[in-house]
Amino acid sequence: QFGLLIESHLGTIKMLCLVLVIAITSNLGQYYVSGASFGGLSGLNYGLFGFLWIKSRFDPSSRLQIPESLVIFFLIWLVLCALNLFGPVANTAHFVGLLAGIAAAGLPLMLRR
């Protein structure tokens, strides 16, 4: 869902670049912390969430919106996973992906101001 919303706004090429940046940074972060014993793209999900969250909050002209209830859910889930309540989870990938998505949305806004 996040990807469809963002791609319709950015276009396919920019979306591909965003996905590659978030996926690579989140997986490199996790690899640095735990080695190669992880898999998946949950860091990418958190990155796309972070992108939408910042756009929704600070760039209303983008018309990208995310419900506040979903923001709360994602942040609570992030904390619960970080507390290791669900077994081994690639927490570094989640945090790095979130930060990469926030940066991808927030840096252009900061530079415009």
Side-chain angles (χ1 to χ4, degrees):
Q1 292 291 31
F2 294 160
L4 290 172
L5 184 59
I6 296 169
E7 184 178 11
S8 69
H9 176 72
L10 294 180
T12 302
I13 299 299
K14 288 182 182 177
M15 175 63 179
L16 177 62
C17 292
L18 180 65
V19 165
L20 288 173
V21 166
I22 293 170
I24 290 169
T25 57
S26 63
N27 282 292
L28 282 176
Q30 187 64 44
Y31 179 79
Y32 178 76
V33 169
S34 68
S37 62
F38 69 95
L41 288 171
S42 57
L44 174 60
N45 288 329
Y46 266 95
L48 296 178
F49 157 72
F51 183 88
L52 283 173
W53 183 26
I54 296 304
K55 283 292 201 180
S56 178
R57 197 112 162 109
F58 298 107
D59 189 8
S61 66
S62 74
R63 296 187 315 258
L64 291 172
Q65 297 296 314
I66 187 170
E68 193 67 27
S69 59
L70 192 56
V71 171
I72 292 167
F73 172 80
F74 260 75
L75 295 177
I76 289 173
W77 189 256
L78 183 70
V79 170
L80 292 176
C81 287
L83 294 172
N84 290 319
L85 297 177
F86 303 104
V89 176
N91 290 309
T92 302
H94 294 170
F95 281 101
V96 172
L98 178 62
L99 292 174
I102 287 171
L107 288 176
L109 294 174
M110 290 172 52
L111 292 175
R112 277 197 302 222
R113 292 186 181 174

